[in-house]
Short mmCIF file of all heavy atoms in Angstrom, two decimals:
data_model
loop_
_atom_site.label_atom_id
_atom_site.label_comp_id
_atom_site.label_asym_id
_atom_site.label_seq_id
_atom_site.Cartn_x
_atom_site.Cartn_y
_atom_site.Cartn_z
N ALA A 386 158.77 62.00 83.21
CA ALA A 386 158.20 63.15 82.49
C ALA A 386 159.00 64.42 82.76
O ALA A 386 159.26 65.22 81.85
CB ALA A 386 156.74 63.35 82.90
N PHE A 408 145.03 67.04 90.76
CA PHE A 408 144.27 66.25 89.79
C PHE A 408 142.77 66.43 90.06
O PHE A 408 142.30 66.24 91.17
CB PHE A 408 144.65 64.77 89.90
CG PHE A 408 143.94 63.89 88.92
CD1 PHE A 408 144.31 63.88 87.59
CD2 PHE A 408 142.89 63.07 89.34
CE1 PHE A 408 143.65 63.07 86.68
CE2 PHE A 408 142.23 62.25 88.43
CZ PHE A 408 142.61 62.25 87.10
N ASP A 578 122.71 67.45 52.41
CA ASP A 578 122.56 68.22 53.65
C ASP A 578 123.59 67.82 54.73
O ASP A 578 123.48 68.23 55.88
CB ASP A 578 121.13 68.07 54.21
CG ASP A 578 120.78 66.63 54.52
OD1 ASP A 578 121.48 65.72 54.02
OD2 ASP A 578 119.82 66.41 55.28
N HIS A 583 136.82 69.87 55.68
CA HIS A 583 138.16 69.33 55.46
C HIS A 583 139.11 69.86 56.52
O HIS A 583 139.10 71.05 56.82
CB HIS A 583 138.68 69.75 54.08
CG HIS A 583 138.00 69.07 52.94
ND1 HIS A 583 138.68 68.55 51.85
CD2 HIS A 583 136.69 68.79 52.72
CE1 HIS A 583 137.81 68.00 51.00
NE2 HIS A 583 136.60 68.15 51.51
N ARG A 606 144.27 64.59 61.31
CA ARG A 606 142.81 64.64 61.19
C ARG A 606 142.51 65.10 59.78
O ARG A 606 143.01 66.14 59.33
CB ARG A 606 142.21 65.57 62.24
CG ARG A 606 142.37 64.98 63.64
CD ARG A 606 141.70 65.81 64.70
NE ARG A 606 142.32 67.11 64.89
CZ ARG A 606 141.80 68.08 65.65
NH1 ARG A 606 140.65 67.89 66.26
NH2 ARG A 606 142.42 69.23 65.78
N VAL A 607 141.71 64.34 59.04
CA VAL A 607 141.57 64.57 57.59
C VAL A 607 140.25 65.26 57.27
O VAL A 607 140.22 66.27 56.57
CB VAL A 607 141.71 63.23 56.82
CG1 VAL A 607 141.51 63.44 55.33
CG2 VAL A 607 143.08 62.60 57.10
#
Side-chain angles (χ1 to χ4, degrees):
F408 181 75
D578 60 343
H583 288 224
R606 291 185 293 171
V607 178

